[in-house]
Amino acid sequence: KAIQQYQKALEIARQAKNKMVELKLLQSLADSHTRLQKTKEALTYSKLYFDLKDSIEATYQKTIEIKDQYEEALKREQLLEKDNKIAEAEVKKMKAEFQRKNILILSLLVGLALVLLLFFSIFNTYREKQKLRVAERDKKLQEQQISELLKNQELRSLNIMMESQENERKRIAQELHDHLGSMLSMVKIHFKSVEDHIEQLKASNLEQYQKANALLDDACDEVRKIAHDMSSGVLAKFGLVPALEDLCQTLEKSNQIEVEFIAHGLDDRLEKDLEIAAYRIVQELVSNILKHAKATSISLQLINNGKKLNLIVEDNGIGFNATDKTILGMGLRSVRQRVDVLNGELLIDSSPGNGSTITINIPITEAS
């Protein structure tokens, strides 16, 4: 209650511009808050108290100085009046007084000349400092421009490298599908022809034939899988969401890990390069999880909020120290490079024993 009354009184004192009452009220407010152990408010009012006290003391000091100057001027005026009376009475001393004034004027002129010289000296020093500051600022701007150019060049190089990698992937996938895949299919046809005369083979050769046939089937499947993974056929034909759904289904068929996939706001196709980059990023992250995380489940979220593509990949694996940059392998470095090329943002949240969460935000451009 006392604090409330003090605050009301403080407002009235400020309106009335009564500094002394205001000073006393600020001290009372600081003491009251101190008794209530409200340290922050007590410090605030203490600061206001000392600031006002300093202001009052400064004003008082200035007043004393003005008073002293006035009294000194009054004394000088009295002395001048006395001198005038003496001058009128003592005409003989006029010449000496005139000479004294001339000396005084000369001294003032010399003093003025010295002051002007000092002023120009200070001005020149200030101008030289300004020139140095401007030169330093221009140098920093030039260094920033050079740094920006180097950064842009690095990003362009990374982009060209990624495009080359994508083209090479497509070429290899095409080669696997058109040449090696066709050759394996032809071998399979020949095996089928031999199978028609299988009764003529001996029992020992039959077992070898069956093993070779099984290995051939595995080779055909592996070629199709490699070609599918490298060319991202589903991605090219149907888009990012179906390609990721296909990837998740492939992972779940292994019966080694559970995969949850959530997509929102992706009814329309994104820009082609963005879809390819996002798909490759997910591949890299999933590959890292399978190799290192020892996880039993993965959660993949893909959200389009209109301005950014938000990608979140979580796992329940062993995790790692996200603050230790020395343990980030080539996989995460490759992901970071891809995100940088897209002007995106990469956030890593992980600690030993608590799994990991990778969040990526990428600006969206309209699909062409």
Side-chain angles (χ1 to χ4, degrees):
K1 290 182 180 180
I3 288 173
Q4 293 177 355
Q5 296 301 321
Y6 284 145
Q7 289 175 339
K8 291 179 181 179
L10 179 63
E11 185 65 24
I12 295 171
R14 286 175 174 173
Q15 292 177 358
K17 298 183 179 180
N18 192 326
K19 300 293 183 179
M20 298 306 297
V21 175
E22 182 182 353
L23 186 68
K24 188 174 295 185
L25 289 170
L26 288 173
Q27 184 179 17
S28 299
L29 282 166
D31 293 339
S32 298
H33 282 96
T34 301
R35 293 185 180 183
L36 292 176
Q37 297 183 352
K38 293 185 177 181
T39 307
K40 182 177 180 181
E41 290 81 359
L43 288 174
T44 299
Y45 283 109
S46 294
K47 185 177 183 305
L48 292 173
Y49 168 79
F50 287 112
D51 289 345
L52 182 59
K53 183 179 179 182
D54 292 341
S55 175
I56 292 173
E57 289 178 351
T59 303
Y60 176 76
Q61 186 66 31
K62 188 174 181 180
T63 303
I64 294 298
E65 291 175 358
I66 293 172
K67 181 182 177 182
D68 292 338
Q69 292 174 358
Y70 172 77
E71 290 177 352
E72 186 178 351
L74 186 61
K75 289 179 180 179
R76 284 200 301 268
E77 185 177 359
Q78 291 174 353
L79 289 173
L80 287 174
E81 291 177 356
K82 185 177 180 180
D83 289 340
N84 289 333
K85 291 180 180 179
I86 294 173
E88 292 174 356
E90 300 178 357
V91 177
K92 293 181 181 181
K93 295 181 180 179
M94 287 181 62
K95 185 176 180 179
E97 184 68 20
F98 180 77
Q99 292 177 349
R100 186 186 67 81
K101 288 182 179 180
N102 285 337
I103 294 172
L104 179 61
I105 291 172
L106 181 60
S107 300
L108 289 174
L109 289 174
V110 173
L112 180 60
L114 292 174
V115 169
L116 289 174
L117 183 61
L118 179 61
F119 170 79
F120 282 114
S121 176
I122 294 173
F123 178 77
N124 288 332
T125 303
Y126 172 79
R127 188 169 58 182
E128 291 298 324
K129 288 183 178 179
Q130 285 295 103
K131 289 181 179 179
L132 290 174
R133 290 194 188 116
V134 172
E136 187 70 21
R137 184 183 62 190
D138 292 341
K139 182 179 179 181
K140 289 182 179 179
L141 288 175
Q142 188 176 8
E143 291 175 353
Q144 290 176 357
Q145 291 174 353
I146 294 173
S147 177
E148 189 69 22
L149 289 173
L150 292 174
K151 182 179 178 182
N152 292 336
Q153 181 63 35
E154 182 180 357
L155 291 177
R156 282 196 296 271
S157 300
L158 287 173
N159 196 22
I160 292 172
M161 180 185 70
M162 290 174 64
E163 290 179 359
S164 301
Q165 288 177 349
E166 291 298 329
N167 293 332
E168 186 64 15
R169 285 174 182 267
K170 291 179 181 179
R171 187 190 66 78
I172 295 173
Q174 191 68 30
E175 291 288 333
L176 287 173
H177 183 271
D178 294 343
H179 298 288
L180 185 57
S182 300
M183 292 173 63
L184 291 173
S185 298
M186 290 298 295
V187 174
K188 182 67 176 177
I189 292 173
H190 285 292
F191 266 86
K192 185 65 176 178
S193 176
V194 175
E195 193 176 272
D196 294 338
H197 304 87
I198 199 68
E199 293 82 3
Q200 301 175 9
L201 297 174
K202 294 180 181 180
S204 60
N205 291 332
L206 177 61
E207 183 178 355
Q208 293 178 359
Y209 164 78
Q210 290 174 343
K211 288 183 179 179
N213 196 27
L215 290 173
L216 184 59
D217 288 336
D218 291 341
C220 290
D221 291 339
E222 186 64 22
V223 168
R224 283 193 296 271
K225 181 178 180 298
I226 293 173
H228 176 270
D229 289 343
M230 296 189 70
S231 63
S232 303
V234 176
L235 176 64
K237 292 180 181 179
F238 303 106
L240 180 59
V241 174
L244 291 178
E245 289 176 344
D246 184 54
L247 176 63
C248 293
Q249 290 174 3
T250 302
L251 291 173
E252 287 189 328
K253 286 179 182 178
S254 67
N255 295 323
Q256 296 180 357
I257 194 165
E258 296 181 0
V259 183
E260 178 189 31
F261 176 54
I262 299 173
H264 177 72
L266 289 158
D267 298 331
D268 299 326
R269 293 286 299 270
L270 298 173
E271 196 269 337
K272 179 182 176 182
D273 291 340
L274 177 57
E275 288 191 339
I276 293 174
Y279 184 78
R280 297 303 180 203
I281 287 172
V282 173
Q283 278 187 320
E284 292 278 6
L285 293 176
V286 171
S287 176
N288 279 346
I289 292 172
L290 296 177
K291 289 180 182 177
H292 309 295
K294 299 180 181 179
T296 59
S297 67
I298 298 175
S299 173
L300 173 61
Q301 300 180 42
L302 195 64
I303 301 171
N304 178 4
N305 62 14
K307 295 182 179 180
K308 289 186 179 180
L309 181 66
N310 178 247
L311 174 63
I312 303 174
V313 180
E314 299 180 82
D315 69 78
N316 64 346
I318 59 175
F320 58 93
N321 185 2
T323 60
D324 186 0
K325 297 182 179 180
T326 60
I327 67 173
L328 299 181
M330 288 297 296
L332 281 178
R333 282 200 291 269
S334 176
V335 170
R336 188 178 295 279
Q337 288 176 349
R338 290 178 183 271
V339 173
D340 289 341
V341 169
L342 297 170
N343 295 321
E345 178 186 25
L346 173 65
L347 302 174
I348 302 175
D349 182 13
S350 181
S351 60
N354 294 316
S356 62
T357 301
I358 309 296
T359 303
I360 298 172
N361 298 308
I362 303 173
I364 294 178
T365 56
E366 295 183 358
S368 56

